[in-house]
Amino acid sequence: MRDQSNIAQLDKGQSSKRFSNLFSLILALLAGCLVFAVMQGIHDNYGIMLPGIVARSGLDYASVSFVIAVGQILYGATQPVFGMLAIKKSNAFVMLLGILFMAAGLIASPFCNSLWSLLLFFGVLLPAGTGALCFGIVMGALAPIIGEKKAAVASGIVQASAGIGDAIMSPLLQRLTDGFGVTLSMPVFSIPILLMLPIVFWLGTKKKKIDKAQPVQVIASDAKKEKLSDILKSAFRDRTYWCLLIGFSTCGFHMSIIETHLFSQYVGSGIPASFASLTLTVYGVFTMLGAVITGFLGQKFRMKNVLASVYGIRILIALAFIFIPKSVPFTFIATSLLGMTGDSTVPPTTGIISNKVGVAKMAVVYGSIFIGHQLGAFASAWLGGIFVSTALGYTALWIADLCLCITATVASFKIRD
């Protein structure tokens, strides 16, 4: 009887421990999703801030667009830098820096009256903060907590949280900006950023506790021994790399139209600002759906064909923006399609890279291609400002996007996967 009682107590203790571990894993995953969603909700809504900053700073549309374009470059360029810092310090340390940078940028940017001051806070400090809270850093903080086997599933959930951040924060930011101006709305949006501080502290503490309880054995691999330059040289010799780079640079150009200029285009076409911001909520929801669909299709069909089809759909969207008059039904349908094709290039792109170079080298190769993505975003944000400030307007921007999407579609079909 005593043995049975001991066994029952042991089973009860193990069950309680499993439940506690499961609860901790869910809590950590929710924390990572919250941090990433808040960051992405700020990063994807520069377009809503743009008109208010133009009015408040006295700078023209092209100048503020240039500042945003610089920020697009830095968002991509700072990620590998912060990745190296995370290795030397910790992911939690980098995220804390990101929170402070973002808060400072949001608070100071509305009060900048010169191009150089706006460039410092809105074009450098704020985007650098978003780079420190990027997907790779957040997943780097979560991976030791949730374990390698669960990390793949968790990565999809964290990526999907970006759409939730857009869906919630876009209309809130627009209403605050419309009612009180950027001098209040942007500093107010630093509050949810600063509220992430205790969450990041908790993630860092949780990591240390698990590291002590379960030491991780580091196994040297050929990928770790290989030099960064050797990995990139090998990629540069592969036609697939250049085809993916063409496609992802086009993707960055296309996405920056949405993040920087779409809101202003809708409002300039007579669409109420409240509805224009609501369409960005629709966009956030459909980005999640599109990424899931292409991830599923990539398991059934050749990933290069899935990727080419996404760029092909973008051709049709660009044609619609060029030729169809803007109306409320148009904005809803068009923004839904923009959302469906928004993040849907990521699953097939990362899948092709993983198949080509392996999981260990994927981060390096994908990171170099992502810089091309942000160069495209820079060009779109800057050129859009120039076009809008001249007689060319948004139509010229969509024509450029159309030509690039045609090129990306052809390049994607030529990938050897």
Side-chain angles (χ1 to χ4, degrees), residues 156-210:
I157 297 172
V158 172
Q159 182 64 48
S161 69
I164 299 174
D166 289 340
I168 295 174
M169 298 179 75
S170 297
L172 288 177
L173 181 59
Q174 186 277 322
R175 288 177 184 175
L176 279 174
T177 303
D178 192 43
F180 304 99
V182 291
T183 53
L184 179 67
S185 64
M186 290 181 68
V188 164
F189 260 58
S190 70
I191 295 175
I193 291 293
L194 291 171
L195 289 176
M196 299 299 106
L197 284 171
I199 295 175
V200 171
F201 272 119
W202 179 83
L203 284 173
T205 305
K206 195 70 178 175
K207 177 180 180 294
K208 289 177 182 178
K209 286 182 178 178
I210 291 184

Side-chain angles (χ1 to χ4, degrees), residues 335-346:
T335 309
S336 299
L337 291 174
L338 286 171
M340 285 287 291
T341 59
D343 288 343
S344 58
T345 58
V346 176

Side-chain angles (χ1 to χ4, degrees), residues 100-388:
L100 296 178
F101 287 172
M102 285 190 69
L106 286 168
I107 292 170
S109 294
F111 303 98
C112 296
N113 295 318
S114 69
L115 177 62
W116 291 109
S117 61
L118 188 66
L119 185 64
L120 173 62
F121 288 102
F122 195 53
V124 176
L125 204 59
L126 177 58
T130 60
L133 294 170
C134 68
F135 179 78
I137 299 296
V138 173
M139 282 305 302
L142 286 178
I145 301 174
I146 62 180
E148 185 179 351
K149 291 182 179 180
K150 300 182 181 70
V153 177
S155 65
I157 297 172
V158 172
Q159 182 64 48
S161 69
I164 299 174
D166 289 340
I168 295 174
M169 298 179 75
S170 297
L172 288 177
L173 181 59
Q174 186 277 322
R175 288 177 184 175
L176 279 174
T177 303
D178 192 43
F180 304 99
V182 291
T183 53
L184 179 67
S185 64
M186 290 181 68
V188 164
F189 260 58
S190 70
I191 295 175
I193 291 293
L194 291 171
L195 289 176
M196 299 299 106
L197 284 171
I199 295 175
V200 171
F201 272 119
W202 179 83
L203 284 173
T205 305
K206 195 70 178 175
K207 177 180 180 294
K208 289 177 182 178
K209 286 182 178 178
I210 291 184
D211 284 348
K212 289 178 181 178
Q214 299 175 0
V216 179
Q217 183 180 4
V218 180
I219 301 174
S221 64
D222 293 337
K224 290 183 179 179
K225 294 176 182 178
E226 199 169 354
K227 293 180 180 179
L228 173 65
S229 58
D230 293 336
I231 296 174
L232 292 179
K233 284 178 183 178
S234 177
F236 292 161
R237 290 193 293 266
D238 193 338
R239 187 180 76 177
T240 294
Y241 176 87
W242 293 104
C243 290
L244 289 173
L245 184 61
I246 291 170
F248 231 40
S249 299
T250 297
C251 183
F253 189 96
H254 179 86
M255 294 294 286
S256 190
I257 295 177
I258 303 167
E259 295 169 2
T260 307
H261 301 293
L262 187 64
F263 178 81
S264 297
Q265 182 180 9
Y266 282 164
V267 173
S269 300
I271 304 299
S274 58
F275 188 85
S277 65
L278 181 61
T279 62
L280 296 180
T281 299
V282 173
Y283 171 81
V285 173
F286 275 85
T287 55
M288 295 184 285
L289 183 60
V292 171
I293 290 175
T294 54
F296 173 78
L297 292 176
Q299 297 177 354
K300 302 292 182 181
F301 305 98
R302 297 182 72 180
M303 282 183 281
K304 71 165 193 172
N305 294 337
V306 175
L307 185 62
S309 298
V310 172
Y311 289 124
I313 295 172
R314 290 183 179 184
I315 293 173
L316 300 177
I317 296 172
L319 286 170
F321 272 93
I322 293 169
F323 293 110
I324 299 178
K326 310 304 175 291
S327 62
V328 170
F330 172 85
T331 58
F332 179 81
I333 296 171
T335 309
S336 299
L337 291 174
L338 286 171
M340 285 287 291
T341 59
D343 288 343
S344 58
T345 58
V346 176
T349 299
T350 54
I352 291 170
I353 294 172
S354 179
N355 288 343
K356 274 284 182 181
V357 302
V359 175
K361 300 178 187 177
M362 187 183 72
V364 174
V365 178
Y366 178 79
S368 66
I369 289 178
F370 188 77
I371 292 175
H373 182 281
Q374 292 310 107
L375 287 171
F378 170 86
S380 175
W382 190 20
L383 285 175
I386 294 173
F387 289 157
V388 172

Side-chain angles (χ1 to χ4, degrees), residues 79-113:
Q79 290 186 25
V81 176
F82 283 124
M84 292 301 298
L85 183 60
I87 293 173
K88 295 183 179 297
K89 294 287 187 177
S90 70
N91 289 278
F93 175 79
V94 171
M95 288 194 290
L96 290 174
L97 282 181
I99 288 171
L100 296 178
F101 287 172
M102 285 190 69
L106 286 168
I107 292 170
S109 294
F111 303 98
C112 296
N113 295 318

